[in-house]
Amino acid sequence: MSDVVYDNKGQLEQVQSGLIEGEQVIAVYDAIGAGTGFIGLTDRRIIVQDKSFVGKRVAITSIPYSKVSSVSVVSNKSWAGQFFSSGIIAITVGTHVYEVEFRGSDKAHAVHNLILSRAA
């Protein structure tokens, strides 16, 4: 297995524990903000941990790249020509939008480009 990019070893291990046979982890990034715990990217799917449920319940959602209809960079201000001035992306799957916020725009850029390359 090639080097996996990750922020938190526990999150990486959680993603690895749910892999299907032959699936490889590419990256696991810690997320900030309400609800989302992390986003994992494998060679087959996107894995989003959502902590926004009532009580201590957590959802792990798997999204096949083929189901992604768009991936967006979210910004509260004009970027004035800077495409990745934000650390937030939105992944649209059907009518649902998964919003993931990162510490810094570099992770948003990496996730955006990986999803875009796999969903095409």
Side-chain angles (χ1 to χ4, degrees):
M1 180 164 82
S2 63
D3 292 330
V4 175
V5 178
Y6 65 93
D7 293 329
N8 179 298
K9 188 167 178 74
Q11 292 170 342
L12 172 61
E13 290 170 351
Q14 189 170 358
V15 170
Q16 288 173 327
S17 72
L19 296 178
I20 56 178
E21 188 174 332
E23 186 174 22
Q24 298 291 316
V25 177
I26 299 168
V28 180
Y29 293 110
D30 189 36
I32 60 174
T36 309
F38 66 79
I39 185 168
L41 303 163
T42 77
D43 58 344
R44 298 183 184 185
R45 60 189 162 138
I46 304 161
I47 301 166
V48 178
Q49 181 191 53
D50 186 350
K51 297 180 180 178
S52 66
F53 292 87
V54 176
K56 295 184 186 260
R57 297 185 308 159
V58 175
I60 302 290
T61 303
S62 291
I63 306 163
Y65 290 111
S66 63
K67 299 298 181 186
V68 175
S69 54
S70 70
V71 59
S72 309
V73 176
V74 180
S75 180
N76 291 329
K77 59 185 178 190
S78 171
W79 341 311
Q82 294 182 347
F83 191 64
F84 288 101
S85 63
S86 173
I88 304 170
I89 63 165
I91 304 163
T92 305
V93 181
T95 59
H96 188 81
V97 177
Y98 297 89
E99 194 171 300
V100 183
E101 183 176 0
F102 305 96
R103 291 176 183 86
S105 62
D106 55 333
K107 292 176 187 172
H109 184 193
V111 170
H112 175 275
N113 288 348
L114 181 67
I115 292 172
L116 198 57
S117 71
R118 298 270 175 175

